[in-house]
Amino acid sequence: MSAPAMPQTNDLDADSAAVKIAALRRMKLLAAGGLVLAAIVFVVCSVLGDDHGAWPYVKATSEAAMVGGLADWFAVTALFRHPLGLPIPHTAIIPRKKDQIGASLGDFVSENFLTPEVVGPRVLAAQIPFRIGQFLAEPGRADKLAGELSALLVAADTVLSDADIRAAVETFAEAQLRRLPAAPVMARVLELAVEGNQHQILLGHGLHGLGRFLADNRDVFRQRVADESPDWVPEWVDERLFNKLFTSVQTFLADVADNPDHALRLQFDQQLRDYAVRLRTDPQAAAAVEGWKDEVLDHPAVRNALASLWLPLKQALFTAAADPDSELRRVVSSVIRQTGTALRDDPALRAKCDAWTLAMMGHVLAHYSGEITGVITHTVQRWDAESTSRRLELQVGRDLQFIRINGTVVGSIVGLAIYSIGRFL
């Protein structure tokens, strides 16, 4: 009936454990005192009393009190250890069945606490979206958080591997480009270009550029004509023929470039429209574009370009993050502020967030409640039997001593009642 030693654990603060041990010791002394008092009364009645007057009633009362007190002492003690150290069957219940107790406790928590019906109302009552909105919408909060996020981003550079991130960016970009269907995208680009007349503007610039290229390289072309001309053709004939052809080409290019209604321009417009339709409807045309896309992505220069995306992106991000007046910081701060204001002032948005939170909570409880309560089961399994018994006795042992006190009191009352009834019968 001695008080348990202090458990060797980091889970309990030393001062708190000492207070609980002292309270348990006091209750044990009180319960034992009642049993000792009943024993003293019984001895006095047995030695000094007789069968007359109140003596037999007091003796029966004390005798029953001892029986009740001892029975409940045995019952309480049997939960945590073998009474008097004797290996009596069905005693030391907690040390023998600690693993079952841990599993049962985990199941109890899972079935009665970790359920949507129990957790859901508490989540809604917490008003999480509203509180987050209030927090984010406070004056100066958005700028401060934007600064903290920027500092976190800059600090991440010390733990990030450029080589790994560069490879990840290359793999991600390549995978996304290969997954993206090229034919519909190209068809839409062509449609937008035609609708905005951008293809004609581009064609005009291209024709003017081609004309300037021919003019800048006139002597080169003239020499090529001279080299290809037969020896028996006079040079002045080559000169006149070249000038005639060169002028015709230049005039033709200028005519097409300057005349929006030229037949070639109209034909070019129609061909682009037809090709856009073919990209959407002709599997062969779409397959050809996909083949070109794969060839481009397989080219070493393109792969190097994809791999080099990270470094300029990193430099731009870190530079903007370190500058309090950068557009990045302003955008992040604005997004935080607007998000907080919306969560604080928009009931519909808060309702959507609550619904999303409940759905996520339901998913977690449905799929991971076992892992959550497994903390209880696995923790109890790691405890040794003696430590488990001490821990539980320290938590509930003080209240269990009332069972012993009640056993002594109730036993005495019942004993008195039985003896009195027996005397009158």
Side-chain angles (χ1 to χ4, degrees), residues 21-38:
I21 290 175
L24 176 59
R25 182 179 291 113
R26 286 194 299 271
M27 288 303 301
K28 283 191 171 186
L29 289 175
L30 179 60
L35 182 59
V36 170
L37 177 61

Side-chain angles (χ1 to χ4, degrees), residues 221-425:
F221 292 115
R222 174 66 185 87
Q223 184 60 43
R224 182 62 179 268
V225 170
D227 294 340
E228 296 292 336
S229 177
D231 294 338
W232 51 268
V233 177
E235 184 177 349
W236 63 271
V237 174
D238 289 340
E239 182 69 23
R240 292 190 63 180
L241 179 61
F242 174 77
N243 289 338
K244 182 67 175 178
L245 291 174
F246 193 84
T247 302
S248 297
V249 171
Q250 289 283 61
T251 302
F252 175 77
L253 293 177
D255 185 28
V256 176
D258 297 332
N259 182 8
D261 298 323
H262 194 280
L264 288 182
R265 278 184 172 272
L266 298 179
Q267 184 180 2
F268 175 63
D269 181 273
Q270 188 59 45
Q271 288 179 343
L272 284 184
R273 293 179 185 274
D274 293 342
Y275 186 59
V277 173
R278 287 178 56 205
L279 288 176
R280 293 187 181 277
T281 59
D282 186 354
Q284 292 184 348
V289 173
E290 292 296 329
W292 299 338
K293 182 189 74 174
D294 292 338
E295 290 179 4
V296 171
L297 293 177
D298 290 334
H299 196 281
V302 175
R303 300 187 67 86
N304 290 335
L306 293 176
S308 64
L309 289 175
W310 165 244
L311 292 180
L313 177 62
K314 168 189 169 182
Q315 186 61 39
L317 281 175
F318 287 3
T319 300
D323 183 6
D325 298 324
S326 67
E327 184 65 20
L328 176 64
R329 292 278 285 269
R330 287 195 294 270
V331 169
V332 172
S333 178
S334 176
V335 170
I336 294 175
R337 188 180 303 106
Q338 292 176 16
T339 301
T341 303
L343 288 174
R344 183 192 62 189
D345 301 335
D346 189 346
L349 178 59
R350 292 200 301 271
K352 290 181 180 179
C353 291
D354 282 334
W356 177 82
T357 303
L358 290 176
M360 182 180 65
M361 177 206 67
H363 176 80
V364 171
L365 294 180
H367 295 85
Y368 302 103
S369 61
E371 283 75 4
I372 297 174
T373 57
V375 175
I376 299 174
T377 304
H378 296 156
T379 300
V380 173
Q381 288 177 349
R382 288 198 304 269
W383 291 346
D384 61 83
E386 184 179 355
S387 175
T388 303
S389 178
R390 289 199 306 266
R391 290 170 187 267
L392 292 178
E393 185 177 12
L394 191 60
Q395 295 297 323
V396 301
R398 179 179 181 276
D399 294 327
L400 291 179
Q401 300 311 308
F402 285 103
I403 296 177
R404 295 176 55 190
I405 296 174
N406 291 336
T408 302
V409 174
V410 172
S412 66
I413 295 173
V414 172
L416 175 61
I418 293 175
Y419 182 79
S420 299
I421 293 173
R423 290 291 296 266
F424 284 105
L425 291 179

